[in-house]
Amino acid sequence: MNKIIEVTGLKKSFGSVQAVKKVDFCVMQGAMFAFLGPNGAGKSTTIDMVTTQLRPDAGEVLVNGFRLGQEDERIRASIGIVSQDSLLDPLLTVEENLYVRGGFYKLSKAALKTAIAQASATADVNDFLKRPYGKLSGGQRRRADIARALINTPRILFLDEPTTGLDPQTRKNVWQTIRQLQQQQGMTIFLTTHYMEEAAQADFITIMDHGEVLAQGTPLTLKDRHAQDTLKLLPKDSGALAVMLDSLQVPYTVASEVFQIPLQQTTAALPIIDRARDNIANIEIINGTMDDVFLNLTGTEVRG
């Protein structure tokens, strides 16, 4: 896959505060890219620069082959943005909102009508196209926001916490729309989210804090490096298991007769299980999660 976004040495300060400190990352074409970090990490500032809304102090950004600061109009024509806060008018219908927003792209009347029809079908808003935006449910509003961002047929869709505040079923429906855009249209998705189970579905993740990139990689790679699996054993004979683990110099804790054994790698459970095979009443392996990765890297809980 080709790189559709390349960020090198990006910096931004506000007075004496360094919001972004020499950030480097890239996004592959057609991938789902999750950009994570706690509040104040510098994510929003970075995205504002990449999407031409804020001028960087230093660094180089290429979006769809266009250079930030020199070809900003072409960058804006290549992207769609769905902000956490809606930009649509609550008094207008979804269709009226789409025509108003679509008018900014200087399309002919016929081309605009076609673009809105395609965006509406893709985001699945046709059932409530004639309803006022302000009367829609949270999930319907979010799909209307996505339709608005699709009018110019972007190569890259930026989604800022697209499912925050939605109930689980609505989140699932919105997520299906996002996945369809990536898989059926080959669109690159640039996602920020505070739901780590959503981030875990991304192809690649970058985590930043205090204006710097802390870690990058696939979800599996990050969990392997920055999270820990746990082997839980309920023995038939607690004393015998304790003696065996002590002989192997394996650390463990015991809670409600269950032995909890931290694992550097999942496969490290195999020799322990093999040695304790005849003494096991119940067994469970709990894999490390993206929540663990986030906490271990940033030192803070995931927060909205």
Side-chain angles (χ1 to χ4, degrees):
M1 289 192 295
N2 298 322
K3 297 176 182 177
I4 197 166
I5 299 176
E6 297 179 71
V7 176
T8 308
L10 195 63
K11 296 182 181 181
K12 184 65 181 180
S13 295
F14 299 98
S16 61
V17 178
Q18 286 185 288
V20 176
K21 310 170 186 176
K22 201 176 181 181
V23 164
D24 304 289
F25 65 86
C26 66
V27 179
M28 306 307 291
Q29 183 177 331
M32 179 172 290
F33 177 89
F35 196 48
L36 310 180
N39 290 344
K43 302 191 309 295
S44 295
T45 301
T46 300
I47 292 171
D48 285 348
M49 288 187 283
V50 172
T51 58
T52 78
Q53 299 175 78
L54 187 64
R55 185 182 298 276
D57 296 334
E60 182 176 82
V61 177
L62 291 174
V63 179
N64 196 28
F66 304 120
R67 193 174 304 277
L68 183 69
Q70 298 179 16
E71 301 170 288
D72 289 3
E73 285 293 333
R74 292 192 171 190
I75 291 176
R76 285 191 283 270
S78 302
I79 64 176
I81 303 174
V82 178
S83 303
Q84 190 175 359
D85 298 321
S86 176
L87 302 176
L88 300 184
D89 190 321
L91 299 179
L92 299 180
T93 66
V94 173
E95 185 177 49
E96 290 167 342
N97 267 297
L98 295 181
Y99 271 100
V100 169
R101 299 294 170 177
F104 297 147
Y105 295 111
K106 301 177 181 178
L107 301 173
S108 68
K109 185 177 293 186
L112 178 58
K113 183 177 181 180
T114 299
I116 289 175
Q118 291 176 343
S120 299
T122 301
D124 193 21
V125 301
N126 283 323
D127 287 346
F128 48 88
L129 202 57
K130 303 294 185 180
R131 291 178 58 189
Y133 179 81
K135 300 292 186 181
L136 302 179
S137 68
Q140 290 171 331
R141 286 197 299 270
R142 189 47 88 198
R143 296 215 302 274
D145 295 337
I146 293 173
R148 187 266 307 161
L150 297 178
I151 294 174
N152 63 322
T153 317
R155 298 284 307 281
I156 310 160
L157 184 62
F158 288 83
L159 297 166
D160 184 13
E161 300 181 30
T163 60
T164 295
L166 302 180
D167 64 80
Q169 184 60 44
T170 304
R171 281 174 55 197
K172 181 180 178 181
N173 292 338
V174 171
W175 192 252
Q176 286 176 343
T177 299
I178 294 169
R179 269 297 185 193
Q180 287 172 0
L181 289 171
Q182 183 203 10
Q183 296 174 352
Q184 297 179 10
Q185 299 192 21
M187 191 175 293
T188 303
I189 306 296
F190 191 114
L191 172 77
T192 72
T193 180
H194 285 293
Y195 296 114
M196 291 299 104
E197 70 271 24
E198 292 183 349
Q201 299 183 54
D203 299 304
F204 197 85
I205 297 172
T206 290
I207 300 176
M208 71 178 298
D209 198 9
H210 304 297
E212 300 177 297
V213 171
L214 301 181
Q216 301 186 73
T218 65
L220 185 60
T221 299
L222 290 175
K223 285 188 282 189
D224 185 57
R225 292 175 182 170
H226 304 288
Q228 197 170 59
D229 296 342
T230 301
L231 170 64
K232 289 187 174 184
L233 293 176
L234 176 63
K236 300 173 183 175
D237 184 336
S238 295
L241 181 59
V243 170
M244 187 271 285
L245 293 175
D246 289 337
S247 70
L248 295 175
Q249 297 184 320
V250 172
Y252 63 88
T253 59
V254 182
S256 301
E257 300 184 2
V258 175
F259 284 66
Q260 301 187 39
I261 304 165
L263 304 171
Q264 292 300 319
Q265 293 181 323
T266 308
T267 53
L270 296 177
I272 299 172
I273 295 170
D274 189 55
R275 287 285 296 270
R277 183 182 304 274
D278 295 333
N279 191 23
I280 296 175
N282 206 336
I283 185 172
E284 182 180 14
I285 295 178
I286 300 176
N287 296 117
T289 66
M290 280 305 303
D291 291 273
D292 298 327
V293 172
F294 192 92
L295 180 62
N296 289 333
L297 285 170
T298 67
T300 184
E301 298 286 351
V302 181
R303 59 185 185 269

